[in-house]
């Protein structure tokens, strides 16, 4: 038996390159809690609990408080029992999924280190290269939008995800501006849209009609309606000309099963930052079984947290859409452990 010797936490605060703005709010600074789990044999693993606009109840004081409670319960316990403990924590602390997930990733990594297994190998070891899109925040300032898109173009991005506000008139203006700009400077590009729960059925019909009239080629539309508007999702799925991908509606495998059994959407966005390891794996299995499209996404993590999702994407090579761009909103280095960053691609080295 190898015991959990210590669990330590520390706060990270880093400025963002640009304002990160969605239908739910905006942020200019990234804050998160880094968790380190150390085992009795010296093996260790890191996880990250980020703050998020969409899960605003998980503030830094709350994350610290919950982690301190969980730390007391885990220290001295065998690492072999961590999955059972996490399953219990996820039920007891259901309001704080990112906190539990960050701790789970640290425990998962410590356990793998103890066994001498890499994350990429754990997930299947399928590929070493992962190419991400770049998010364009919802900002009305067109000078800013041009500057941010030019940054993406310099980095070699061809896939973009535009945040929408739910305000139809403003969204029409920004969508046209972004689409026209990309059309002028790129021979081929992919544009996806993210509603972040900003629409209702009526306003969503308006923006879909606008997209169709202007013949904008949209790859998919992420989470247009409120996360629990299940009836609305079933209705809009019948008239949309592009896939609907659910994000905020799905945290656990049970959520994914609801989507599949009730035909709520065409696909699911898996985020280790909120679903952790076990639930992400369960969502992946369910999505594959039911023929749903798969997306892998992130919050506003540093490379400590983001690398868990990169390993998932590379190890499984199962995702139709990859949205792992949080590091581009930070002032970052182009190397992190065995990961190197080349333009819009993460590459894993032996």
């Amino acid at each position: 038996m190898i015991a959990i010797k210590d669990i330590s936490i520390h706060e990270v605060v880093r400025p963002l390159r640009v304002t990160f703005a969605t239908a739910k709010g905006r942020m200019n600074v990234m804050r998160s809690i880094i968790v380190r789990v150390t085992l009795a044999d010296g093996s260790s693993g890191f996880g990250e609990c980020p703050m998020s606009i969409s899960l605003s109840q998980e503030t830094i004081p709350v994350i610290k408080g919950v982690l301190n409670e969980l730390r007391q319960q885990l220290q001295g316990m065998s690492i072999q029992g961590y999955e059972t403990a996490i399953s219990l924590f996820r039920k007891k602390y259901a309001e704080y999924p990112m906190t539990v997930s960050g701790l789970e990733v640290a425990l998962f990594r410590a356990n793998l280190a103890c066994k001498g297994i890499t994350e990429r190998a754990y997930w299947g070891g399928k590929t070493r290269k992962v190419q991400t899109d770049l998010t364009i925040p919802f900002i009305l300032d067109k000078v800013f939008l041009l500057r941010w898109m030019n940054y993406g173009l310099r980095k070699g991005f061809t896939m973009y995800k535009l945040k929408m506000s739910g305000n139809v008139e403003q969204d029409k203006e920004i969508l046209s501006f972004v689409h026209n700009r990309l059309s002028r400077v790129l021979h081929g590009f992919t544009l996806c849209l993210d509603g972040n729960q900003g629409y209702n059925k009526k306003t969503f019909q308006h923006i879909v009609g606008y997209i169709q009239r202007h013949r904008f080629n949209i790859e998919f539309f992420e989470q247009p309606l409120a996360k629990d508007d299940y009836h609305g999702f079933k209705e809009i799925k019948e008239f949309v000309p592009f896939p609907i991908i659910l994000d905020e509606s799905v945290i656990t495998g049970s959520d994914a099963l609801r989507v599949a059994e009730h035909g709520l959407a065409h696909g699911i966005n898996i985020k280790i930052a909120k679903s952790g390891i076990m639930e992400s794996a369960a969502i992946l299995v369910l999505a594959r079984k039911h023929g749903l499209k798969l997306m892998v996404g992130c919050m506003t993590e540093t490379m400590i947290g983001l690398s868990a999702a990169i390993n998932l994407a590379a190890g499984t090579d199962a995702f139709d859409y990859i949205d792992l761009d949080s590091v581009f909103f930070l002032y970052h280095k182009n190397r992190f452990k065995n990961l190197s960053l080349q333009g819009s691609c993460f590459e894993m080295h032996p």
Side-chain angles (χ1 to χ4, degrees):
M1 181 189 90
I2 299 175
I4 298 170
K5 181 180 179 181
D6 183 56
I7 299 176
S8 60
I9 63 175
H10 74 271
E11 182 179 352
V12 173
V13 181
R14 293 176 64 181
L16 297 178
R17 284 179 179 269
V18 294
T19 298
F20 186 80
T22 75
K24 292 295 182 181
R26 57 180 55 209
M27 57 194 296
N28 292 298
V29 175
M30 183 282 300
R31 287 185 171 86
S32 66
I33 298 294
I34 305 300
V35 185
R36 182 180 186 182
V37 171
T38 305
L39 306 184
D41 70 346
S43 303
S44 64
F46 288 89
E48 184 170 2
C49 310
M51 286 183 62
S52 168
I53 294 170
S54 64
L55 293 165
S56 57
Q57 72 276 13
E58 292 191 76
T59 63
I60 292 298
V62 167
I63 294 170
K64 287 180 177 178
V66 172
L67 287 174
N68 283 327
E69 289 180 29
L70 301 184
R71 173 165 54 185
Q72 293 174 17
Q73 299 177 54
L74 287 169
Q75 283 181 325
M77 188 184 85
S78 168
I79 187 62
Q80 278 70 37
Y82 89 88
E83 290 184 333
T84 300
I86 287 295
S87 295
L88 292 172
F89 295 158
R90 197 166 288 284
K91 292 176 183 176
K92 184 176 180 181
Y93 297 91
E95 291 181 77
Y96 313 116
M98 293 189 301
T99 304
V100 175
S101 296
L103 174 61
E104 183 187 3
V105 169
L107 290 162
F108 165 74
R109 285 173 160 172
N111 190 39
L112 288 185
C114 171
K115 296 177 178 179
I117 302 171
T118 67
E119 286 179 73
R120 178 176 160 274
Y122 172 87
W123 290 114
K126 295 288 180 62
T127 185
R128 293 185 179 276
K129 198 170 184 179
V130 174
Q131 185 173 17
T132 181
D133 64 10
L134 181 68
T135 298
I136 302 173
F138 179 78
I139 301 289
L140 294 174
D141 182 347
K142 293 185 174 64
V143 173
F144 159 80
L145 289 174
L146 281 174
R147 188 166 65 245
W148 185 241
M149 283 189 283
N150 286 338
Y151 167 77
L153 292 167
R154 289 196 303 273
K155 288 285 186 178
F157 282 94
T158 59
M159 299 179 289
Y160 293 85
K161 187 175 83 167
L162 175 63
K163 294 288 187 178
M164 307 287 272
S165 70
N167 180 314
V168 175
E169 294 309 313
Q170 290 181 345
D171 287 347
K172 287 178 181 178
E173 180 183 353
I174 296 304
L175 173 57
S176 293
F177 180 80
V178 168
H179 193 280
N180 291 340
R181 170 62 179 168
L182 293 175
S183 297
R184 286 197 300 270
V185 297
L186 286 176
H187 293 298
F189 68 92
T190 301
L191 183 61
C192 317
L193 305 177
D194 187 356
N196 285 114
Q197 308 180 73
Y199 294 88
N200 56 41
K201 179 187 171 185
K202 183 177 180 181
T203 55
F204 186 62
Q205 283 179 307
H206 285 315
I207 197 67
V208 170
Y210 182 79
I211 290 168
Q212 290 179 304
R213 287 194 300 276
H214 286 76
R215 298 182 180 179
F216 292 150
N217 185 19
I218 302 301
E219 186 74 12
F220 66 81
F221 207 120
E222 186 180 354
Q223 197 72 42
L225 309 182
K227 62 183 180 181
D228 56 357
D229 188 0
Y230 307 131
H231 181 70
F233 282 118
K234 288 191 74 169
E235 289 191 325
I236 68 171
K237 189 185 173 193
E238 299 304 315
F239 65 74
V240 290
F242 36 67
I244 298 294
I245 308 296
L246 295 190
D247 174 2
E248 288 90 341
S249 297
V250 180
I251 294 180
T252 66
S254 296
D255 296 331
L257 186 59
R258 181 193 296 115
V259 173
E261 290 185 337
H262 295 279
L264 302 183
H266 303 92
I268 293 172
N269 186 358
I270 297 177
K271 292 183 175 179
I272 285 184
K274 67 178 182 180
S275 299
I277 302 299
M278 291 183 289
E279 293 299 329
S280 291
I283 295 167
L284 181 66
V285 169
L286 282 163
R288 281 172 154 175
K289 178 182 177 181
H290 292 275
L292 294 172
K293 290 183 177 295
L294 278 165
M295 178 178 178
V296 61
C298 59
M299 298 299 199
T300 52
E301 307 103 300
T302 67
M303 279 297 292
I304 290 174
L306 187 67
S307 56
I310 296 169
N311 276 287
L312 169 65
T316 61
D317 195 25
F319 293 92
D320 302 287
Y321 314 119
I322 295 175
D323 179 35
L324 300 177
D325 62 342
S326 63
V327 68
F328 293 96
F329 284 83
L330 304 171
Y331 295 93
H332 61 86
K333 297 178 181 178
N334 289 330
R335 187 94 187 190
F336 178 80
K337 294 188 176 180
N338 71 323
L339 282 170
S340 65
L341 188 51
Q342 305 286 338
S344 62
C345 293
F346 299 100
E347 192 162 345
M348 308 189 117
H349 305 279

